[in-house]
Amino acid sequence: VISVTGGALSFKMNPRLKEVFSKGLTKVALSTDAWIITGGTNAGVMKHVGEALKNCDTAGGRVKINAIGIATWGVLHKKERLIAKDYRGLYPCRYEVENEGIHLDVNHSHFILVDDGTTNQFGREIKLRAKIEAKIAEKVLTLVQ
């Protein structure tokens, strides 16, 4: 597991640094078959991870890296579009990103959305994310031993 954490504030990354970050992240993920876990939104550090995943090509063509976004439900813009009328979920989900508000990063392959009933409160997913990452690490260590 590669856990990428950081702020959700938008920032510009120097083009050379962005290239090094993208190539390094994708190379490590591909060479180790690792999952990447982020906060899952299209903002800040998570947006840069998504862009790295979007542009991930190898000599054999485009590849898919498992990138899991763990996000707080209550901060997402237009989240009601993710709810089926029968409340059993939508698959495949159709999710449109707009220019305003907080959205999921479409370059992630999977999402876990944490809903504790709050709205507009960031960071509500942090405890669950830490537990999930710890459990995955525990399983990996068990397999290695």
Side-chain angles (χ1 to χ4, degrees):
V1 172
I2 301 169
S3 179
V4 181
T5 60
L9 293 176
S10 293
F11 64 93
K12 292 209 182 263
M13 195 182 294
N14 171 297
R16 177 69 181 130
L17 178 60
K18 188 172 188 165
E19 180 183 346
V20 170
F21 172 76
S22 294
K23 285 184 178 180
L25 178 64
T26 55
K27 182 177 181 178
V28 169
L30 289 169
S31 66
T32 61
D33 202 22
W35 294 354
I36 298 173
I37 298 179
T38 77
T41 60
N42 188 22
V45 171
M46 298 155 292
K47 182 176 184 175
H48 290 290
V49 170
E51 288 172 356
L53 296 170
K54 176 181 169 184
N55 299 318
C56 182
D57 289 319
T58 64
R62 187 155 302 267
V63 294
K64 190 72 170 175
I65 294 173
N66 287 313
I68 304 163
I70 303 177
T72 301
W73 175 260
V75 301
L76 297 176
H77 188 64
K78 306 279 186 175
K79 59 187 164 276
E80 62 279 355
R81 294 178 183 171
L82 297 170
I83 303 172
K85 291 189 182 2
D86 62 6
Y87 296 98
R88 288 192 284 167
L90 295 172
Y91 183 83
C93 177
R94 303 281 185 242
Y95 185 70
E96 298 173 32
V97 175
E98 298 173 354
N99 289 333
E100 62 181 62
I102 302 297
H103 297 277
L104 296 174
D105 183 89
V106 297
N107 299 302
H108 285 65
S109 57
H110 302 81
F111 293 96
I112 298 172
L113 303 175
V114 180
D115 184 7
D116 66 353
T118 61
T119 56
N120 300 320
Q121 293 185 24
F122 290 90
R124 307 303 286 196
E125 79 289 350
I126 294 172
K127 287 183 183 177
L128 179 63
R129 178 178 169 176
K131 287 180 182 179
I132 290 170
E133 290 174 347
K135 277 293 184 191
I136 293 170
E138 184 180 298
K139 285 288 187 188
V140 169
L141 286 174
T142 302
L143 293 172
V144 171
Q145 295 173 349

